Amino acid sequence: MSTVAETSPSEPNGPIEPTAAERVRSVVAGAESLSLTTDGQEYDLIGMHSVSRRGRITLHPQADSPLAAQVARAPRGSLAALLEFTDIAPTAVRARVRAGVTVSGWLTPARDGEAPALELDIARVTLRTAAGTVEVGLDEMTLAAPDPLAAEEAAMLTHLTDAHEDMVAGLVALAGPRIPHGFTRAVPLALDRHGITLRYEYPSGHCDLRLLFPEPARNAADAGEQICRLLVAPAATAHLHHPSSRS
């Protein structure tokens, strides 16, 4: 089984999760590595990319690297490239891959001359999640920003799991009848400014429950306060969405 549940916020007409563009920006900004495919070559790059405030991706290979040499040999100094980012849950849950982002375009030497930095002229962006695959417009990418909790999400979720079992148990209990009986354990899966998601694991699959905060969190400290508010006043906090079948 794999289903996702979601809570009702205090303002039901407001946003309840990041947009696809915001999700992409969060995944790309938070990733420590990426897979790069060019004409006839594949690279696994670790700690070698950066993202500007407007979403421009820059690679930072060594000056004597095969990638830098390949770009230098490319016609007109422009190399077609496909970048793949994988969003993996920081906690030890089943099926840890939460999303995948594919960005295609052309690599060219950085305009400011900071060799051997390579800028990606983006042509297409795709986001893959359990809910399906969507294309994200380039204007949306430029205007979006990473979720304010993206940089600290991993540390917050692991700390919550390792040091606050009582709080996790309280969050787990908020599921009530919305989650099928018989789960073997429940673990925090994801966190963003709109809420926290728990994964309930069963012998034959899992079910995700998204608990929406009373108000969007502005930063990590505020997210902690919103979690406490859920535990103190948990009324109307969850409902199912993106249903899928038992596996």
Side-chain angles (χ1 to χ4, degrees), residues 2-162:
S2 175
T3 59
V4 184
E6 202 171 71
T7 71
S8 299
S10 56
E11 297 179 357
N13 294 324
I16 57 177
E17 60 184 31
T19 65
E22 290 170 338
R23 185 78 183 273
V24 168
R25 290 293 304 272
S26 296
V27 170
V28 173
E32 296 183 357
S33 64
L34 63 92
S35 296
L36 169 65
T37 302
T38 63
D39 183 17
Q41 298 291 332
E42 294 183 358
Y43 305 90
D44 290 323
L45 306 182
I46 301 175
M48 293 176 60
H49 79 280
S50 60
V51 187
S52 73
R53 291 184 60 183
R54 296 184 65 82
R56 177 172 290 277
I57 299 173
T58 302
L59 305 184
H60 305 274
Q62 296 294 321
D64 59 351
S65 70
L67 175 59
Q70 190 179 12
V71 173
R73 294 194 305 267
R76 296 178 296 279
S78 179
L79 180 67
L82 180 71
L83 281 63
E84 296 179 280
F85 301 84
T86 303
D87 178 28
I88 299 176
T91 50
V93 297
R94 180 186 298 157
R96 292 182 66 185
V97 175
R98 303 183 299 189
V101 171
T102 301
V103 184
S104 62
W106 292 268
L107 286 173
T108 59
R111 296 183 180 88
D112 56 14
E114 292 185 5
L118 305 173
E119 292 182 341
L120 183 69
D121 184 8
I122 299 176
R124 183 178 181 182
V125 180
T126 302
L127 172 68
R128 301 180 306 279
T129 67
T133 300
V134 296
E135 288 196 27
V136 178
L138 301 188
D139 289 342
E140 296 175 83
M141 275 283 292
T142 299
L143 295 174
D147 188 87
L149 305 183
E152 298 175 271
E153 182 204 16
M156 292 184 68
L157 285 180
T158 53
H159 177 72
L160 179 64
T161 301
D162 296 340

